[in-house]
Amino acid sequence: DGGITQSPKYLFRKEGQNVTLSCEQNLNHDAMYWYRQDPGQGLRLIYYSQIVNDFQKGDIAEGYSVSREKKESFPLTVTSAQKNPTAFYLCASSIDAPGTSAIDEQFFGPGTRLTVL
Amino acid sequence: QKEVEQNSGPLSVPEGAIASLNCTYSDRVSQSFFWYRQYSGKSPELIMSIYSNGDKEDGRFTAQLNKASQYVSLLIRDSQPSDSATYLCAVNTNGGTSYGKLTFGQGTILTVHP
């Protein structure tokens, strides 16, 4: 079964703690993304990566870090510098087609709900 | 000014009616437009993508795009209670390049009542 998996489904963090959210895909997609969703709001882009060992900041990257050591994996670390981390975190992937004018569709994992205690 | 705007609703329609969801965007060079459905507590699911002016139909869903008016809409025919969800509009606002920087609207809550 091809798809995007995220773990854990629920995560609780204490103040001052770093936590890492996992995202894995077996769709052979080139591009991967991390979004944050707050209640009643749309999605905001945290980081994205188009190829292995390269990633770019999105609109709200402060307090977050990522790595892209393998094509299949794009983990997100929420650091203690992120002052309001409680949110629903969504990972997505797309085929991506550099040089074309059309955007490839993004597909989402099931999400991780992070709560700060 | 928000880059992608949707009426947050809630929009309530009776079962069997047509639900009309609207979205406006500010970046004139945007080329790719998407509608996602999100059930409560779940992740977004892509239901329609549209790239050219006009209508695109897929089953009970029709996406309409008017680039001159910077407007994209989603029509759901024969609405069912199972269509009750939040519908997110997403637009490529990265200057029309191929890279996946989508900007999302805040979503419209749709309720279909029996």
Side-chain angles (χ1 to χ4, degrees), chain A residues 102-115:
Chain A
I103 267 291
D104 282 279
E105 300 159 340
Q106 292 187 19
F107 299 93
F108 286 86
T112 292
R113 203 166 293 278
L114 173 63
T115 302

Side-chain angles (χ1 to χ4, degrees), chain B residues 1-15:
Chain B
Q1 183 185 359
K2 291 183 181 177
E3 294 184 55
V4 179
E5 291 206 50
Q6 296 180 252
N7 187 331
S8 60
L11 173 66
S12 182
V13 301
E15 185 174 354

Side-chain angles (χ1 to χ4, degrees), chain B residues 13-92:
Chain B
V13 301
E15 185 174 354
I18 296 175
S20 177
L21 305 161
N22 305 316
C23 173
T24 58
Y25 60 94
S26 59
D27 188 346
R28 285 191 168 275
V29 300
S30 297
Q31 297 189 23
S32 307
F33 308 87
F34 305 90
W35 283 99
Y36 287 84
R37 177 176 62 199
Q38 186 175 26
Y39 292 115
S40 181
K42 302 295 185 182
S43 62
E45 172 192 9
L46 180 67
I47 54 173
M48 289 290 283
S49 57
I50 186 166
Y51 303 98
S52 304
N53 279 329
D55 294 0
K56 178 182 178 182
E57 187 174 316
D58 184 0
R60 295 186 295 112
F61 299 101
T62 299
Q64 300 175 317
L65 175 62
N66 184 325
K67 290 185 179 180
S69 300
Q70 295 175 243
Y71 177 94
V72 58
S73 65
L74 179 71
L75 301 178
I76 306 175
R77 291 182 301 281
D78 188 23
S79 295
Q80 302 297 311
S82 59
D83 294 325
S84 298
T86 297
Y87 289 80
L88 299 167
C89 172
V91 178
N92 169 10

Side-chain angles (χ1 to χ4, degrees), chain A residues 46-99:
Chain A
I46 304 173
Y47 268 99
Y48 65 103
S49 168
Q50 292 152 308
I51 56 172
V52 174
N53 293 323
D54 187 50
F55 47 83
Q56 307 295 327
K57 292 182 178 180
D59 300 317
I60 56 165
E62 185 175 350
Y64 300 97
S65 65
V66 293
S67 63
R68 187 87 186 275
E69 297 177 0
K70 298 187 300 182
K71 186 176 183 178
E72 301 79 17
S73 178
F74 191 40
L76 173 75
T77 296
V78 184
T79 75
S80 56
Q82 171 49 237
K83 298 306 178 189
N84 186 22
T86 295
F88 189 35
Y89 289 86
L90 290 155
C91 179
S93 70
S94 67
I95 295 173
D96 202 31

Side-chain angles (χ1 to χ4, degrees), chain A residues 36-50:
Chain A
R36 168 184 172 141
Q37 186 176 35
D38 294 281
Q41 298 190 30
L43 280 65
R44 292 184 290 168
L45 182 65
I46 304 173
Y47 268 99
Y48 65 103
S49 168
Q50 292 152 308

